[in-house]
């Protein structure tokens, strides 16, 4: 696993074995996550979403505590996966990194508690699996507007964005900071 420019986020690019039957790759190994992050992963829930081209999900994050770490893989199609440091007090607060996840490259990303997560579908229909450290709890889930100009996330300009009502109404990073809605870096460590 390789750490991304946002501390607490890693990308896993597996070795893919191919033969006449198809391919096989190791999508997740707890020991690799432990070696990279310094603590063993916990999987309490697995979610699968389908996403159309241009659909953006996020930027989502959970209250800390309890927080929610995620391990995200694309099973079908391709998505642009974006991780944003939303931890107030972090030296990299507001920084983001992006990784294309696809059924072709077999990459996955891990993001620690307190980081924001978003993705955009790049193909007509993508399927994405999330392994989550804690179950989804609506009262603890929040969002930052994914088109916040101050964040300037790298959404492809040639793909029209489609947002849910929830994401379209989410505050900007500056608004969420001013309102005290974001996790604190010291609580995430």
């Amino acid at each position: 696993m390789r750490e991304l420019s946002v501390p607490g986020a890693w990308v896993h690019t597996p070795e893919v074995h191919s033969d006449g039957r198809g391919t096989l790759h190791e999508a997740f190994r707890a020991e690799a996550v432990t070696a990279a992050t310094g603590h063993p992963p916990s999987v309490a829930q697995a979610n699968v979403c389908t996403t159309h081209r241009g659909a953006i999900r996020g930027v989502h994050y959970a209250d800390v505590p309890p927080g929610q770490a995620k391990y995200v893989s694309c099973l079908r199609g391709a998505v642009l996966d974006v991780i944003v440091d939303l931890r107030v007090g972090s030296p990299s607060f507001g920084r983001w990194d992006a990784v294309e996840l696809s059924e072709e490259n077999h990459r996955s990303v891990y993001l620690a508690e307190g980081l924001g997560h978003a993705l955009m579908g790049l193909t007509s229909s993508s399927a994405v699996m999330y392994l989550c450290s804690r179950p989804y709890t609506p009262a603890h889930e929040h969002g930052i507007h994914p088109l916040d100009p101050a964040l300037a996330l790298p959404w492809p300009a040639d793909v029209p964005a489609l947002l849910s009502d929830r994401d379209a109404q989410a505050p900007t990073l500056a608004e969420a900071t001013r309102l005290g809605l974001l996790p604190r870096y010291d609580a995430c460590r």
Side-chain angles (χ1 to χ4, degrees), residues 3 5 16 19 39 42 45 47 51 56 62-63 75 81 85 109 113 115 138 141 143-144 149 165 174-175 177 187:
E3 189 165 23
S5 66
V16 179
D19 64 22
H39 58 85
S42 171
Q45 182 173 327
N47 301 321
T51 301
I56 297 176
D63 288 335
L75 307 176
D81 197 274
D85 192 343
V109 294
E113 294 86 348
L115 297 177
E141 294 289 323
I144 299 297
D165 290 342
E175 291 167 340
T177 303

Side-chain angles (χ1 to χ4, degrees), residues 23-87:
T23 66
L24 171 76
H25 70 278
E26 194 172 86
F28 172 84
R29 180 184 283 248
E31 292 87 1
V33 175
T34 301
T37 66
H39 58 85
S42 171
V43 177
Q45 182 173 327
N47 301 321
V48 175
C49 72
T50 59
T51 301
H52 301 297
R53 179 174 167 81
I56 297 176
R57 296 178 180 274
V59 177
H60 299 151
Y61 67 97
D63 288 335
V64 177
Q68 186 185 62
K70 296 176 183 173
Y71 189 87
V72 184
S73 305
C74 184
L75 307 176
R76 183 182 70 233
V79 298
L80 182 64
D81 197 274
V82 178
I83 299 106
V84 182
D85 192 343
L86 301 177
R87 302 167 297 187

